[in-house]
């Protein structure tokens, strides 16, 4: 039961839900997410730590950066939750805007400070 409670608490925050929707298929580091959400990196890191403690995240260290992605075990349930409510990317302008900024950030990744992960993108 503790795992279920931690899972729900990790996704109950609007920012963490938005993060989960971005990192469900694509790995991002905290600085990239901070750029996408236009918020301080320390805030993003705090949200990621809550999600990590709940066991939702896979991670990969690339030099000094750590990339995060939803672990495959939880991908299906998170997608089902998104599709069951109006919080999915189809109906949410906020999530659409996040996805657009994420795509722009990925297109700039070769010029950015952080290298791309090697293993998480294959999972």
């Amino acid at each position: 039961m503790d795992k279920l409670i931690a899972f729900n608490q990790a996704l109950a925050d609007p920012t963490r839900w938005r993060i989960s929707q971005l990192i469900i298929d694509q790995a991002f580091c905290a600085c990239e997410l901070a750029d996408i959400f236009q918020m301080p990196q320390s805030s993003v890191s705090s949200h990621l730590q809550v999600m990590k403690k709940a066991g939702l995240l896979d991670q990969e260290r690339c030099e000094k950066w750590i990339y995060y992605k939803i672990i495959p075990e939880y991908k299906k349930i998170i997608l089902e939750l998104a599709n069951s409510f109006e919080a999915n990317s189809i109906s949410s302008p906020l999530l659409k805007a996040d996805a657009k900024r994420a795509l722009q950030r990925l297109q700039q990744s070769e010029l950015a400070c952080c290298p791309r992960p090697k293993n998480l993108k294959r999972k």
Side-chain angles (χ1 to χ4, degrees):
M1 188 160 99
D2 291 343
K3 198 171 182 180
L4 174 64
I5 301 299
F7 172 86
N8 284 299
Q9 288 175 334
L11 294 178
D13 178 86
T15 300
R16 290 193 291 272
W17 178 256
R18 289 170 62 201
I19 290 171
S20 77
Q21 298 306 290
L22 285 182
I23 65 175
I24 203 154
D25 287 318
Q26 177 71 46
F28 286 96
C29 69
C31 66
E32 290 173 323
L33 292 169
D35 286 349
I36 293 164
F37 292 120
Q38 301 169 340
M39 63 182 358
Q41 186 173 336
S42 60
S43 297
V44 170
S45 292
S46 295
H47 286 295
L48 288 168
Q49 287 307 308
V50 171
M51 295 172 77
K52 183 179 171 185
K53 286 180 183 176
L56 300 177
L57 302 181
D58 199 356
Q59 66 182 46
E60 178 183 340
R61 180 173 286 279
C62 239
E63 298 177 20
K64 65 180 181 176
W65 293 271
I66 300 175
Y67 287 84
Y68 299 93
K69 188 175 179 182
I70 297 292
I71 62 171
E73 167 185 349
Y74 288 117
K75 182 177 176 177
K76 182 178 177 182
I77 192 168
I78 292 171
L79 289 172
E80 286 176 6
L81 282 170
N83 289 327
S84 296
F85 296 93
E86 291 186 24
N88 65 2
S89 59
I90 295 168
S91 63
S92 173
L94 183 58
L95 292 178
K96 282 183 181 181
D98 290 345
K100 183 178 178 180
R101 285 193 303 276
L103 183 59
Q104 290 170 342
R105 182 62 165 93
L106 286 172
Q107 290 171 343
Q108 297 169 354
S109 66
E110 290 185 17
L111 304 172
C113 59
C114 8
R116 297 304 308 155
K118 293 170 181 54
N119 297 319
L120 281 182
K121 66 180 175 183
R122 293 189 204 125
K123 293 183 181 179

